[in-house]
Amino acid sequence: MTDSTYISANVSYSSIEKPPFRVVSVGSGNWGTCVAKIIAENTRENPLLFERQVKMWVYEEDYNGEKLTEYINTNHLNEKYLPGIQLPDNLVAIPDLLEAVKDANIIVFNVPHQFLEGILKQLKGNINPKARAISCLKGLRVYQDKVELLTDIISQELGIHCGCLAGANLASEVAEQKFSETTIAYPIPDDYCSGDVDPTVLYTMFHRPYFHVHIIEDIAGVSIAGALKNIIAIGVGFVDGLQWGENAKASIMRRGLLEMIKFGQKFFPTSKVSTFCEESAGVADLFTTCTGGRNFKLAQRMAQTGKSAAEVEVDLLNGQSAQGLITAKEIHHLIKNKAYLDEFPLFETTYQILFHGVSIGILPYMLENKWSISKPNYSS
Amino acid sequence: MTDSTYISANVSYSSIEKPPFRVVSVGSGNWGTCVAKIIAENTRENPLLFERQVKMWVYEEDYNGEKLTEYINTNHLNEKYLPGIQLPDNLVAIPDLLEAVKDANIIVFNVPHQFLEGILKQLKGNINPKARAISCLKGLRVYQDKVELLTDIISQELGIHCGCLAGANLASEVAEQKFSETTIAYPIPDDYCSGDVDPTVLYTMFHRPYFHVHIIEDIAGVSIAGALKNIIAIGVGFVDGLQWGENAKASIMRRGLLEMIKFGQKFFPTSKVSTFCEESAGVADLFTTCTGGRNFKLAQRMAQTGKSAAEVEVDLLNGQSAQGLITAKEIHHLIKNKAYLDEFPLFETTYQILFHGVSIGILPYMLENKWSISKPNYSS
């Protein structure tokens, strides 16, 4: 089917009734552009449900002497952040944030963590109050004595219902339409009314033959897995760097999975074991994260060279930070303040190795017998 | 601590009372020798509980002009099957099966599947009827319309209680004392009496600082995971061979884990989801099996070359069979006869690709939506 088929379908239906959903992607980095591409592929195939045009807010910058939004809209390519990937022509880059979100009733967030707060401030009071949101940001906001879900922060700031999307989704592979799966967590909101965003709408918006969507309700489970996997990848990188082999790597992943589940049960008792064990955002994302990526490589290099985390960050990451390093520190303070240190031996030992020069060789001894202290409750 | 410490400890205690447990390992291949080494390390450290000497039945053969048992007992090396690994001097190779098992009250089975039946026939009526057994054989015996656990076959043939041991345990790494974990499934038998084999005895016998043991009751779960992981490794090998990337590999592992759980619930309703999701014998062994090994490589080569399974077996495995190939065929017949084909789309598609020339490209389409038909029950 060519794109023109959809145009005519759209025109013929839109003369009767406008499609109910208008989607904007807030964010246009590597993963942001990739997800916006998926959505645009689906909106043009489903003209009864979605407005064909998908808007993508792009932080305006210069690209080879041209404005990035103009380059994207002229060439249907985002060479800066997703090079070589042809974008659908119904995906339109917009430099003005408020103009981009103006008519949207589905807002997809896909910006770096550190920009979220500023963006929410700009959006506050300037969006459709009945809009629904999906966050593609990974993780949690961790304080000294509590944890918040990023989706809750979005909800509270904007007063709109927000779900999340995560999975074993290396952006470059998804962009090339290699097969993968993802998880969307979207509980039906209390103020749901007929014709509202529901699992069918989200499935139609995100599912592709190469990108399989599974929809659940457990936002907390998806968010926890997305944050804690980075600490586990560091543990796996350590034992890989010491050439302890595949058995040891598998044991660290397994122990990490158990500590993820435990963390969920401690801090978000409604989180489900099945999210961690069954979902792409759980066990599958853990697999991919532990086979490569920035956190794994930082730890691997520390083990190989005996250098500190700070030294390796300079060498390997040009001084950029690995997310798992930050998360390991935040989680350490949290579980220490809550007196849970003994129950997360992998997370705690990883922190001690990263920040206090503890030997990696101590890992097996730290893990020994600790888990038996309190096992997860499998009935939840 | 040197070995002589243990000798003197042993001597001093044995003058008062004989230790209650005498262990034999039936089997001396790669994994058999490795496990026997672990046991012998533990029996010499625990003279109150175990007779120091561990017997290992060795199928007698010639090794460089010498008898293999003599070579092992003289050099404390099994160069034929576990080269370069020093064995404890309290591990004694014995060529006569019945002599080896004569006094044992703990029998560890660690022989290739195809020899089990013949060995059980020889042992029948010639062992201590109160002995307890641990099987290190992986897997199931699959018929056209039913499945049996190998532990049940051992129990029925010999009239003794039998547990099993499995985990993410590549033998060469365990032999080098690289860190790993394992799972022992040993439910307490009905005829248990004081001083009998129990989880503490098994823990003391198998746990090492480099080999962490977790003991559970779910023999069926451990056995199912040990058999089905090989089919999943074939699926992962297919997508790896086509260079579909890490996301796709993770999705196949995830779907495989779900089908394992489902298989357990269909055929062994007492099997526990936690065994698959939490244990080394479950998710961790799945990780290691899907990153390499014979099954993965066979499938990878099929995808890379377009050759049939039979052709690749000749090229790559010198005509030997990959276990996953046999298991895929057996499971296909079983689930077909039981009319469960639709519920195991990954297993069935893998079978179709292996034996009926179906294109690997069909995998994502076969997986789409199928799982939603019936989800595992997480309360079990």
Side-chain angles (χ1 to χ4, degrees), chain A residues 168 170 173 178-179 181 203 207 212 243 246-247 251 253-254 258 277-278 287 364 368-369 375-376 378, chain B residues 168 170 173 178-179 181 203 207 212 243 246-247 251 254 258 277-278 287 364 368-369 375-376 378:
Chain A
L170 300 174
E173 296 180 4
K178 291 177 170 179
F179 173 57
E181 300 181 311
Y203 186 90
H207 189 89
H212 286 197
Q243 299 189 290
E246 296 303 317
N247 296 343
S251 76
M253 283 191 244
R254 184 189 82 84
L258 294 180
C277 295
E278 269 192 16
F287 286 130
E368 194 159 1
N369 298 327
K375 299 237 309 166
Y378 248 84
Chain B
L170 300 174
E173 296 180 4
K178 290 177 169 178
F179 172 57
E181 300 181 312
Y203 186 89
H207 189 89
H212 287 198
Q243 300 188 288
E246 295 303 317
N247 297 343
S251 77
R254 183 189 82 85
L258 294 180
C277 295
E278 267 193 18
F287 287 131
E368 193 159 1
N369 298 326
K375 298 238 307 165
Y378 248 85

Side-chain angles (χ1 to χ4, degrees), chain B residues 246-265:
Chain B
E246 295 303 317
N247 297 343
K249 285 159 67 180
S251 77
I252 302 294
M253 285 191 245
R254 183 189 82 85
R255 294 295 296 247
L257 185 61
L258 294 180
E259 293 192 18
M260 266 187 186
I261 295 171
K262 172 80 75 74
F263 188 91
Q265 292 177 337

Side-chain angles (χ1 to χ4, degrees), chain A residues 147-224:
Chain A
V147 204
E148 274 181 12
L149 305 177
L150 293 184
T151 50
D152 284 346
I153 293 171
I154 294 171
S155 282
Q156 284 153 21
E157 280 300 302
L158 303 182
I160 60 175
H161 185 62
C162 183
C164 64
L165 177 152
N169 299 145
L170 300 174
S172 58
E173 296 180 4
V174 178
E176 290 175 18
Q177 309 198 165
K178 291 177 170 179
F179 173 57
S180 70
E181 300 181 311
T182 204
T183 309
I184 294 174
Y186 190 84
I188 295 295
D190 293 339
D191 62 346
Y192 174 86
C193 55
S194 174
D196 201 343
V197 172
D198 66 13
T200 305
V201 172
L202 293 173
Y203 186 90
T204 312
M205 180 171 147
F206 287 105
H207 189 89
R208 298 295 299 158
Y210 61 86
F211 190 65
H212 286 197
V213 166
H214 190 222
I215 299 177
I216 61 173
E217 298 198 341
D218 180 15
I219 293 181
V222 169
S223 304
I224 292 165

